[in-house]
Amino acid sequence: MFPLTMAKVGEKGQIKRISGKDEVKVHLAELGFVVNNEVKVVNRMGDNLIVQVHDSRIAIDSTLAKRIFI
């Protein structure tokens, strides 16, 4: 298990844990980042990650990505 920020472009993983305050967890859940969902790193742009969750691509910064463990 490691943070999403350590995943390589093209790598898929199943979300195992989400850390942080409740409001951060709720925000990430609203975006589709919930335990047992599959996530794929599509691209990196500076400190941001473009990730695919379900059929959506979402840009998140590394601060949020560090809270998602795959």
Side-chain angles (χ1 to χ4, degrees):
M1 187 166 60
F2 54 89
L4 189 58
T5 53
M6 296 183 70
K8 296 178 177 143
V9 173
E11 187 173 352
K12 291 181 184 179
Q14 187 177 28
I15 298 173
K16 303 292 185 192
R17 182 171 67 95
I18 297 176
S19 66
K21 295 182 180 180
D22 287 342
E23 50 275 1
V24 172
K25 291 179 182 181
V26 168
H27 175 66
L28 288 171
E30 289 171 348
L31 295 173
F33 296 98
V34 293
V35 174
N36 294 326
N37 274 0
E38 187 174 273
V39 63
K40 176 182 177 182
V41 177
V42 177
N43 201 355
R44 291 181 180 272
M45 301 180 79
D47 281 345
N48 298 323
L49 294 175
I50 309 292
V51 296
Q52 184 170 343
V53 179
H54 297 294
D55 293 331
S56 301
R57 289 188 178 190
I58 301 167
I60 59 172
D61 68 2
S62 60
T63 305
L64 285 178
K66 287 178 186 175
R67 301 189 181 285
I68 303 166
F69 291 84
I70 58 174

